Every structure is written in structure tokens, then in C-alpha cells.
Amino acid sequence: MAETKKLFIKTYGCQMNVYDSERMGEALEASGYVTTQTPDDADMILLNTCHIREKAAEKIYSELGRMKAHKVNNPDLKIGVAGCVAQAEGREIMRRQPAVDLVVGPQSYHRLAEMEAKTRRGEKALDTDFPIEDKFEVLKNRPKARRAPTAFLTVQEGCDKFCAFCVVPYTRGAESSRPVQRIVDEAKDLVERGVREITLLGQNVNAYHGAGIDGNEWGLAQLIWELDKVDGLERIRFTTSHPNDMQDDLIEAHEHCSKLMPYLHLPVQSGSDRILKRMNRSHTAESYLRLIERIRKARPDILMSGDFIVGFPEETEADFQATLDLIEEVRYGYAYSFKYSTRPGTPAAERAQVDDAEANERLQRLQALIFRQQMEIQQSMVGREVTVLLEKPGRDSGQMVGKSEYLHAVHINDCTAQPGDLVKARITEAVRNSLAGAMV
Ligand code: SAH
Ligand code: SF4
Ligand code: F3S
């Protein structure tokens, strides 16, 4: 048994990084690491990074500057960079910040233990390959620790769509799907450890096309129906979807599969066909709206969420107005909106950029509209009965917090049930970011 060492992981970016950070923690358990909540006493610090916008990537270098200070008190401390910045910038990271000992891209986490050993021999370790072996298969032997009631499970990774603004196809590589059986096994393992709700993850999760149990290729809907059979698994979600991959059987699953929750994150990015075309999105505003119509026909109460980019190169006030019009028509329960950020190497980086003040102003207008919709929808929940999956005790004594079917956070006072329980609650009040409910 190796001596116990402490690992501090800081996670940035999307849910897939959250999932990957867990896997990295497990990969280093074999080398004697336990995770710690602070960098102060760590023997290894790992930053799991995001490259999606310039700010996200630059933040890493200032954080590395701060983390480096810990080496003064602890000369044995190793610092590693994982995730999408690691993939995009590779060795450049060690050049800009020589305190970095290890750089590992998202496709090489199964080699982490070996790489850590290399740093212990005083060498630098770098791996940003796209190997052919299944990293998750190599990472799978994990201890049966009890877990929170909700978990992420990556089923698909990478993207072949090459939207003109986006780095993901370069940092996560070509699209690939894990086989159904491995996903089902992992889901059963999670359920044995107390998980009740699983969110299936993929950069293009609805493009999922993994090897099915019958030897044929299965789509996401078939995978969901297979997971539906897992006893003890109560809720299934998936994210993020692309409008072009929303197949009929997936829409039907929203109608018929009771474990599939009525919430769908379906980014559109813009409401202007001219801009959508320049973004290489290959859908129109109209086709997106008709798609949502079909989804709502299958599941009328479904809560829609989306992503928007404002100030994309060449975006005019009229283009932006078309985005606001689309938002008015859809009515979003949640939305994530970003000012366009130039990413070196992507096609849009070469084009005429929108004035920064103009872009900021558009972002504010868009966010005000989204906020209003969000509040209206939350307000409309008052008086309705929802089912809440309890996650943890709330701030007040006797209070529990969980999520409704629609992913709203619900606080329940005088709650006698436990985390992991599903309880019926009537919504009594909508507050800024959450709902209050009473058990029925
Ligand atoms: N796989 C997801 C996107 C991941 S990135 C999908 O296809 O929807 C999450 C969001 O970040 C995107 O939907 C987009 O709205 C935003 N984004 C991506 N690149 C960006 C850039 N260069 N500038 C601003 N926002 C960006
Ligand atoms: Fe990026 Fe999503 Fe477009 Fe792929 S589909 S390039 S991940 S925004
Ligand atoms: Fe960021 Fe990579 Fe996710 S760029 S959003 S961490 S896929």
C-alpha cells in the first residue's frame, strides 16, 4: 500500500469536466491519493480547464500563478493541467508557467497514474493524444462509495459539427459514443451506490450512436429505453442536444418514457437565419421553432432551455432583433447567453467583429428578456404539484432541498423525508432562483 497523498482538483467549464474530474480522482486513487477540499495541504493540484471563451482560458494562467505559491511550503507538490486548455495549448502551458509538471488532454485520463509517477521522478509529463482505447473502460474499477442522489454519466464525446465559433471539435476531438452495455453497467453501479437520477452527457448527446446490446447501432432513444429498465433509477436527463439530431424516436420518448424528465436543453445560438448560416449551424430559426412545436406536442409541459451567442461577427441590430423574436416565441425556462468570444483557429475569428459596447448592450437586453420569461414560468408553478428528488438539507432547520421534474430547485420546510427520496410537494412561492414548496 502506497502512502496516502492528497489530491486537490479544481473544475471549470461544462458538466463533462465535472464527470471527468471524478474519473481522474479515481484514476489517482490507485497511486495512493485521496481527494482534499483545499490546495493548502495538497501533494498534487489538478486544474480541469475550459477553453470555450477567452476569459475561461486566461483565468487558468492567473490561477496557476496562485497555485505555484504552494510549492514554496511544499517542494514535493506537483501541479497538473487537464481538460480543454490542456488539449488546445499543450506544451505551451509549461512554457508560460514552468511550475506546471503535468499536462493531460481529455482523452488521456487513463494514463494519469503513469504520468503522475513520471512527475515523481522529477520529469515533466505531457499527453494530448487521441488514443483509440476507451479511457472509461480502463478507469472503471472503482470502490463502492456511497454517492449523492444525482450523477452525470458521459455517453458521447466530441463533435463533428464545427460551428464557426467553437473550439470543442478541436479540444474534444471527433464524435464517439460508448457502447450501450457499458453505460447500463455504469448506471447500475451508480444506482447501487444511491443514485436516483442520471444525466447522460455528451457535447452532442442526441447524436449518440453506440454499439447496442443486439449488435446493431443504437440511438439515444434506444439507450434511454434500456436505462428505463434499470430498477431503482428514477429519473433520466440528457444534455447537450443539437437541433439537427432531434430524431422522432427521441421526441416520442419524451411522450412515453416516464423516467425521462420534461426538460430539454436545446441551444439555438441565434434567431437570424443569416447569422445561423454564417455560424455553420445548418438549421434555421423556423426549423427550430417547428421542432419545438413537435416536442411540445409530445410533452406539453416540457421546460425548454437554450444557449445564445450575441455579437457574433457581422451581427446587425436586425439580426439581434430576430433572436429576441425567437426567444419571445419559445418562452425559455432557463437560458445561457454569452457575448461572442474570438477563439484562435476557428473560422469566425477572421471575420468583422461587432463593436464591444454594442455587443455588451445586446447581451443585457437579451438577458433581461430571458430573466423575465424565467420569472414568469417560475411564478406559474405556484399552486402546482411537483415531484421533488431530495438532494440535501437546506439552510433552515428541518428544511430539505431538491429538484423538481423541471429542474427547478425546491425548498421544503418541515420535511421528514431523506436525501434520495422522491416526494410530492405543492409549490407555495417563487423566489429569485428557486421555489418553495410544502409536502402533500
Ligand atoms: N456542445 C454544446 C456546446 C458546448 S459550448 C452544444 O453544441 O450546444 C456551450 C455554449 O457556449 C455554446 O452553446 C455556445 O452558446 C457557447 N459558446 C461556444 N463557443 C463560444 C464562443 N466562441 N463565444 C461565445 N460563446 C461560445
Ligand atoms: Fe461546438 Fe456544439 Fe457546435 Fe459542436 S455543435 S461545434 S460543440 S457549439
Ligand atoms: Fe469547456 Fe471543454 Fe466543456 S471547452 S465547455 S470544458 S468541452
Side-chain angles (χ1 to χ4, degrees), residues 91-107:
R91 197 176 295 281
E92 172 67 11
I93 298 172
M94 290 170 170
R95 201 190 59 75
R96 266 183 80 176
Q97 180 45 271
V100 172
D101 302 283
L102 178 156
V103 171
V104 59
Q107 302 311 325

mmCIF file of all heavy atoms in Angstrom, residues 91-107:
data_model
loop_
_atom_site.group_PDB
_atom_site.id
_atom_site.type_symbol
_atom_site.label_atom_id
_atom_site.label_comp_id
_atom_site.label_asym_id
_atom_site.label_seq_id
_atom_site.Cartn_x
_atom_site.Cartn_y
_atom_site.Cartn_z
ATOM 1 N N ARG A 91 2.051 21.862 -24.639
ATOM 2 C CA ARG A 91 3.341 22.218 -24.056
ATOM 3 C C ARG A 91 3.474 23.727 -23.778
ATOM 4 O O ARG A 91 4.214 24.139 -22.888
ATOM 5 C CB ARG A 91 4.465 21.750 -24.994
ATOM 6 C CG ARG A 91 5.833 21.694 -24.350
ATOM 7 C CD ARG A 91 6.888 21.141 -25.300
ATOM 8 N NE ARG A 91 6.644 19.738 -25.642
ATOM 9 C CZ ARG A 91 6.961 18.712 -24.836
ATOM 10 N NH1 ARG A 91 7.518 18.927 -23.686
ATOM 11 N NH2 ARG A 91 6.722 17.470 -25.221
ATOM 12 N N GLU A 92 2.755 24.538 -24.555
ATOM 13 C CA GLU A 92 2.765 25.989 -24.368
ATOM 14 C C GLU A 92 2.461 26.375 -22.906
ATOM 15 O O GLU A 92 2.992 27.369 -22.388
ATOM 16 C CB GLU A 92 1.729 26.601 -25.324
ATOM 17 C CG GLU A 92 1.432 28.074 -25.157
ATOM 18 C CD GLU A 92 2.598 28.992 -25.521
ATOM 19 O OE1 GLU A 92 3.590 28.498 -26.119
ATOM 20 O OE2 GLU A 92 2.534 30.194 -25.171
ATOM 21 N N ILE A 93 1.637 25.569 -22.240
ATOM 22 C CA ILE A 93 1.286 25.848 -20.835
ATOM 23 C C ILE A 93 2.533 25.776 -19.957
ATOM 24 O O ILE A 93 2.761 26.632 -19.108
ATOM 25 C CB ILE A 93 0.232 24.830 -20.327
ATOM 26 C CG1 ILE A 93 -1.049 24.974 -21.155
ATOM 27 C CG2 ILE A 93 -0.056 25.028 -18.845
ATOM 28 C CD1 ILE A 93 -2.083 23.898 -20.882
ATOM 29 N N MET A 94 3.369 24.759 -20.188
ATOM 30 C CA MET A 94 4.588 24.610 -19.380
ATOM 31 C C MET A 94 5.592 25.720 -19.698
ATOM 32 O O MET A 94 6.396 26.086 -18.853
ATOM 33 C CB MET A 94 5.231 23.258 -19.654
ATOM 34 C CG MET A 94 4.436 22.094 -19.099
ATOM 35 S SD MET A 94 5.099 20.551 -19.726
ATOM 36 C CE MET A 94 4.239 19.356 -18.716
ATOM 37 N N ARG A 95 5.519 26.222 -20.917
ATOM 38 C CA ARG A 95 6.419 27.300 -21.285
ATOM 39 C C ARG A 95 5.988 28.595 -20.578
ATOM 40 O O ARG A 95 6.811 29.284 -19.983
ATOM 41 C CB ARG A 95 6.406 27.508 -22.811
ATOM 42 C CG ARG A 95 7.644 28.243 -23.346
ATOM 43 C CD ARG A 95 7.484 28.642 -24.806
ATOM 44 N NE ARG A 95 6.323 29.509 -25.028
ATOM 45 C CZ ARG A 95 6.251 30.801 -24.694
ATOM 46 N NH1 ARG A 95 7.270 31.400 -24.117
ATOM 47 N NH2 ARG A 95 5.156 31.501 -24.939
ATOM 48 N N ARG A 96 4.650 28.841 -20.601
ATOM 49 C CA ARG A 96 4.158 30.067 -19.958
ATOM 50 C C ARG A 96 4.225 29.998 -18.436
ATOM 51 O O ARG A 96 4.369 31.009 -17.773
ATOM 52 C CB ARG A 96 2.704 30.338 -20.376
ATOM 53 C CG ARG A 96 2.610 31.277 -21.554
ATOM 54 C CD ARG A 96 1.170 31.598 -21.902
ATOM 55 N NE ARG A 96 0.549 32.610 -21.047
ATOM 56 C CZ ARG A 96 -0.675 33.084 -21.247
ATOM 57 N NH1 ARG A 96 -1.401 32.640 -22.260
ATOM 58 N NH2 ARG A 96 -1.183 33.987 -20.444
ATOM 59 N N GLN A 97 4.055 28.800 -17.886
ATOM 60 C CA GLN A 97 4.100 28.650 -16.426
ATOM 61 C C GLN A 97 4.957 27.411 -16.098
ATOM 62 O O GLN A 97 4.458 26.291 -16.017
ATOM 63 C CB GLN A 97 2.679 28.495 -15.858
ATOM 64 C CG GLN A 97 2.617 28.339 -14.361
ATOM 65 C CD GLN A 97 3.511 29.306 -13.602
ATOM 66 O OE1 GLN A 97 4.694 29.041 -13.327
ATOM 67 N NE2 GLN A 97 2.966 30.483 -13.281
ATOM 68 N N PRO A 98 6.269 27.627 -15.889
ATOM 69 C CA PRO A 98 7.188 26.498 -15.697
ATOM 70 C C PRO A 98 6.905 25.667 -14.436
ATOM 71 O O PRO A 98 7.421 24.559 -14.313
ATOM 72 C CB PRO A 98 8.560 27.182 -15.591
ATOM 73 C CG PRO A 98 8.387 28.524 -16.211
ATOM 74 C CD PRO A 98 6.968 28.924 -15.954
ATOM 75 N N ALA A 99 6.077 26.189 -13.514
ATOM 76 C CA ALA A 99 5.748 25.410 -12.311
ATOM 77 C C ALA A 99 4.841 24.220 -12.647
ATOM 78 O O ALA A 99 4.630 23.331 -11.817
ATOM 79 C CB ALA A 99 5.069 26.301 -11.283
ATOM 80 N N VAL A 100 4.298 24.195 -13.857
ATOM 81 C CA VAL A 100 3.403 23.088 -14.236
ATOM 82 C C VAL A 100 4.228 21.834 -14.533
ATOM 83 O O VAL A 100 5.181 21.861 -15.309
ATOM 84 C CB VAL A 100 2.541 23.477 -15.461
ATOM 85 C CG1 VAL A 100 1.766 22.283 -15.992
ATOM 86 C CG2 VAL A 100 1.600 24.613 -15.095
ATOM 87 N N ASP A 101 3.837 20.721 -13.869
ATOM 88 C CA ASP A 101 4.578 19.463 -14.025
ATOM 89 C C ASP A 101 3.924 18.525 -15.027
ATOM 90 O O ASP A 101 4.566 17.639 -15.579
ATOM 91 C CB ASP A 101 4.636 18.731 -12.670
ATOM 92 C CG ASP A 101 5.279 19.593 -11.606
ATOM 93 O OD1 ASP A 101 6.516 19.712 -11.625
ATOM 94 O OD2 ASP A 101 4.538 20.180 -10.775
ATOM 95 N N LEU A 102 2.607 18.710 -15.214
ATOM 96 C CA LEU A 102 1.872 17.705 -15.978
ATOM 97 C C LEU A 102 0.771 18.371 -16.806
ATOM 98 O O LEU A 102 0.068 19.257 -16.309
ATOM 99 C CB LEU A 102 1.284 16.721 -14.952
ATOM 100 C CG LEU A 102 0.417 15.547 -15.331
ATOM 101 C CD1 LEU A 102 0.526 14.493 -14.220
ATOM 102 C CD2 LEU A 102 -1.028 15.920 -15.522
ATOM 103 N N VAL A 103 0.656 17.964 -18.061
ATOM 104 C CA VAL A 103 -0.425 18.456 -18.934
ATOM 105 C C VAL A 103 -1.088 17.247 -19.581
ATOM 106 O O VAL A 103 -0.418 16.453 -20.252
ATOM 107 C CB VAL A 103 0.128 19.410 -20.025
ATOM 108 C CG1 VAL A 103 -0.950 19.750 -21.047
ATOM 109 C CG2 VAL A 103 0.674 20.699 -19.402
ATOM 110 N N VAL A 104 -2.391 17.099 -19.330
ATOM 111 C CA VAL A 104 -3.082 15.907 -19.851
ATOM 112 C C VAL A 104 -4.388 16.302 -20.539
ATOM 113 O O VAL A 104 -5.237 16.989 -19.971
ATOM 114 C CB VAL A 104 -3.306 14.858 -18.723
ATOM 115 C CG1 VAL A 104 -4.138 15.416 -17.561
ATOM 116 C CG2 VAL A 104 -3.931 13.585 -19.267
ATOM 117 N N GLY A 105 -4.538 15.894 -21.792
ATOM 118 C CA GLY A 105 -5.758 16.185 -22.558
ATOM 119 C C GLY A 105 -6.891 15.255 -22.159
ATOM 120 O O GLY A 105 -6.657 14.187 -21.584
ATOM 121 N N PRO A 106 -8.147 15.637 -22.462
ATOM 122 C CA PRO A 106 -9.326 14.886 -22.023
ATOM 123 C C PRO A 106 -9.369 13.425 -22.485
ATOM 124 O O PRO A 106 -10.082 12.623 -21.900
ATOM 125 C CB PRO A 106 -10.492 15.650 -22.646
ATOM 126 C CG PRO A 106 -9.965 17.011 -22.934
ATOM 127 C CD PRO A 106 -8.500 16.865 -23.188
ATOM 128 N N GLN A 107 -8.622 13.094 -23.520
ATOM 129 C CA GLN A 107 -8.697 11.707 -23.999
ATOM 130 C C GLN A 107 -7.641 10.808 -23.366
ATOM 131 O O GLN A 107 -7.508 9.634 -23.728
ATOM 132 C CB GLN A 107 -8.568 11.651 -25.521
ATOM 133 C CG GLN A 107 -9.630 12.451 -26.255
ATOM 134 C CD GLN A 107 -11.036 12.171 -25.769
ATOM 135 O OE1 GLN A 107 -11.365 11.044 -25.403
ATOM 136 N NE2 GLN A 107 -11.877 13.185 -25.743
#
